[in-house]
Structures are given as structure tokens and as C-alpha cells.
Amino acid sequence: MGEVLQIETLRTVAPFFNRIIKPPQSTVFGLKIDSMQPIPGTGIWVWRVSGAPEPLDAGGAKNADGHQRKRRAETQMDAFVHQRYYPMIEAHEFSGFFTSARTIFATSLWMADRGGGSGGQPVHTLLPTTALAFELRIQDDPNLPKVLRPHTDEQLLHNVFGVRFAGGRFVRSSVPAFDADQLWCKIELIGEPTSEWRNGRLTSYRCIEGVLEHEDPPAMVSINLWGEDVAVARLFKSGYYIGLVCPVVKPRAPDTPIEVEFGSQTITFVTCSIRRKASTAAASQFSIAQNESGFLDYRRYAHRVQLCQCRKDMINLTLIARIVAVSENLPYVDSAGTLDRYAVRIDDSTA
């Protein structure tokens, strides 16, 4: 089934301390890294995390810092850092990355007692996960909470991905200085979870379709997720930007879409949808205009939109689907007269 309803991102670690009901593995958490340090004598790194502030257009954000009045985000706990991220701690391209109110999205989280607490008390710690994406922020995002506004990532986007945000989209800024394969794209479609045969075994599979909007001309890319990496797709929505460092680039024939997969060193970054100001400029087939009321106008969008992508703020959609049922007439009556009105149920096997 397609993902029609997105579960709310929990911006608190409090559910892990509930003795009766633990959060399901599918829960997506938005967390802030408050500090990072090694466990003495071990070389094992630990983050101290708490709930991340919400974007200002979220229903739960009550003030300019993105926190609710009850400040539920203050609960803290430790989280083991997966060894995949250890090279970032020393790489000069990521200098200061973990000391600037860094926020992450994570899922498939387990909690355990690592022991060693004072008086035999448990030390509750989140186990390492790679179903994690580091959030990258830009100054042009009007929904960025005040507490995060001094910590944006224009320089990292320039150095690592060779892009910058201008004119309502990301454009090429330079050749990336980072000496590794990298990818930055806008998510167009998150496919349904399925199972495919791979290396003689039936394996979980999911595909994310994206567009390299900073290329000239824009190019399409397929990000293939296999096995445990399928969980990463829970962190994203259509319209988000995703960045990958050290993906596995698949060989391809000329004039075919780029294909990449996650590997043992792949690191994931994300920038959530950026609410753009209204523009009179015409949208291209790879971009979506936004009107003065904040609605996404798909009038000029050339690609098929599936039912699982539909949201309440979209207008002028063209859908290809099968009519399942038509209701009886539900007339609308006002002072100007009566208007016939029918409800139609449609299906395209994604919703």
C-alpha cells in the first residue's frame, strides 16, 4: 500500500521511558544532538539527544523557538553513534557539524541499559542505527525556528554537494570539494515497499525517485533501498531534498537514469520542504509553483502524480486513475441557486 498518511514525527525521547508502551519500530523521531563525547577508555562515541524544535508552520510549534509551552523537548538521553559516522568526527569538511544544534531524523530505534550507572541505576541508551538522516538547514527557510537560525549549512552544501539555494530551488555553485561520490536531489516519488529477488534471496525493496534540479538540464535519479536500508524511506516525503555521501553508483548505459544504492559507508542528509514565497515566474516541468495562498500549483508539472502523493495543499492536479464508485447527487445550495455535486472514488493501486 502507498503511504497516504504520514505518522507525526515525534520530537521527544519521552516515549522510551514509558514502562508499559514502547514506541513501535516504525516511529520517526526528530532529535537534536546536544553534546557528543567518547565513553572514557573505549573509543565509543555517544550523543546526548533531546527532542528537536518543530518548524514554525507545524501545529505543535507554539513560539519562535519551535518549542511547545510545556517544553516537552527537554527530556534527554544518550544514543550510541554508529561507526559509519565516526569519519565525520575528524573530517575537516564537517568541522563543527556536531556542535551547532545539529538535528537528525531517525527510525528503527531500540533502547537498552548499557550499565555503569550510579548506585546500579540503569543508563538508558539508544542503540546505534543507520536509519538516520542529518538535517541540513538554509537561511531562506521561513519556517526555521529562531533557535536554529544561527546554525545553517550553506557552506557545507557548497563544499560537499556543490549546490546553493537561490530563486526557490537548489542550483550548482561549484564542483564539490569533498573527495567522495555524492548526490543531492529533490524527491519526486517514494515507491511502495515490495520484495525482490536479490543474490538468490527474496529481499525487501523500495525505490526513491528524484531529480537533480541543479543540473542543466535536470536529470532523474533512482535511489534503490534494500533490506534494512528500506527503513530510511520513512524519514522522507515527496518534496524533500536528500543528500547522499558515499553511495554505491551503479553502471548505466547512455541516456538512462542514474541509479545508486546504499552501501556500508553511505551517509544520509535531508532538507525538508522549503515553503517558498509566491512567484509569478512560470514553473518548469521539474518544479512546482506556489501561489499567494501557499497552495502547490501543478498546472505545468509534466510528471504523473500518484494518489499516494496527494496532499490537501495541491491544486490543478492531473491524475490517471480508475473510477471505483460514484455517489448520488449531493447538491450544493446557496443564495445563487443549486449546484449538482457528486463524490467520485478513484484508485491507481498506490493509495
Side-chain angles (χ1 to χ4, degrees), residues 88-99 156:
M88 299 173 65
I89 298 172
E90 297 181 355
H92 66 87
E93 291 90 350
F94 295 96
S95 177
F97 186 76
F98 295 110
T99 58
L156 185 146

Side-chain angles (χ1 to χ4, degrees), residues 28-68:
V28 174
F29 289 88
L31 305 175
K32 179 166 64 74
I33 300 173
D34 296 317
S35 63
M36 181 178 68
Q37 61 186 12
I39 298 176
T42 67
I44 298 173
W45 285 89
V46 174
W47 289 323
R48 187 68 174 171
V49 298
S50 61
E54 298 186 84
L56 299 185
D57 64 347
K62 300 301 183 183
N63 57 42
D65 286 337
H67 290 304
Q68 290 189 332

